[in-house]
Amino acid sequence: MNEIHMKEALREAQKAFKKNEVPIGCVAVLNDKVIARGHNIRETKQDPLAHAEIICIKKAAKKMGGWHLNNIVLYTTLEPCLMCAGAMIHAKIRNVVIGANSPDNGAGRLLKKYNVKLTRGILKKECRGLLKEFFGKLREKEGCPSG
């Protein structure tokens, strides 16, 4: 099941890619059914809080009719940042499935500290590949040498 739901998160990330947004996608799953989706739209909305995970959490809370999301599993294509991890903790999310690790900005350790179960590396190659492609194109556009 993890791969099926991570593919849905990747579809969200591809939507961000097409909008020239950092391609990160997220889905919220309840009883093996996707109930909410989100992808990065920070540039589109000019909103520093418009991360895929935040958007998905807000939609899940609306769908559930409350902010206690302890029964959902959140799938995200990249290890969440500190802000998104904090939102997950405050929403009482207990399970997070991560595609690619984020060595610079990832807050997986914080999630673990709050007893959030992490599953890492689901479709890691595909999640990393999309990010690598995006940043490669961005460097080309800006005239930076690839490497």
Side-chain angles (χ1 to χ4, degrees), residues 56-83:
C56 187
I57 289 168
K58 284 181 173 184
K59 287 179 179 179
K62 186 174 182 179
K63 177 92 173 186
M64 299 286 292
W67 61 272
H68 288 263
L69 302 178
N70 51 307
N71 292 324
I72 70 162
V73 179
L74 206 64
Y75 289 79
T76 182
T77 57
L78 185 66
E79 182 178 357
C81 70
L82 186 59
M83 174 182 71

Side-chain angles (χ1 to χ4, degrees), residues 27-90:
V27 296
V29 174
L30 178 66
N31 300 324
D32 289 327
K33 182 180 177 190
V34 174
I35 63 161
R37 303 168 178 276
H39 58 274
N40 273 0
I41 51 172
R42 290 188 311 172
E43 298 299 327
T44 303
K45 297 286 185 184
Q46 290 298 294
D47 180 353
L49 306 179
H51 288 208
E53 298 90 340
I54 299 293
I55 291 163
C56 187
I57 289 168
K58 284 181 173 184
K59 287 179 179 179
K62 186 174 182 179
K63 177 92 173 186
M64 299 286 292
W67 61 272
H68 288 263
L69 302 178
N70 51 307
N71 292 324
I72 70 162
V73 179
L74 206 64
Y75 289 79
T76 182
T77 57
L78 185 66
E79 182 178 357
C81 70
L82 186 59
M83 174 182 71
C84 293
M88 292 170 194
I89 291 163
H90 286 287

Side-chain angles (χ1 to χ4, degrees), residues 132-147:
K132 189 173 181 179
E133 181 183 352
F134 174 80
F135 285 110
K137 286 184 178 191
L138 189 62
R139 281 191 295 276
E140 281 178 22
K141 184 179 173 184
E142 293 176 354
C144 298
S146 60

Side-chain angles (χ1 to χ4, degrees), residues 103-127:
D104 297 328
N105 298 316
R109 286 177 51 184
L110 176 65
L111 290 170
K112 281 188 148 192
K113 181 179 176 182
Y114 282 87
N115 299 314
V116 175
K117 180 185 175 206
L118 298 181
T119 304
R120 294 178 179 269
I122 305 301
L123 299 180
K124 174 174 65 176
K125 184 178 171 187
E126 293 87 340
C127 293

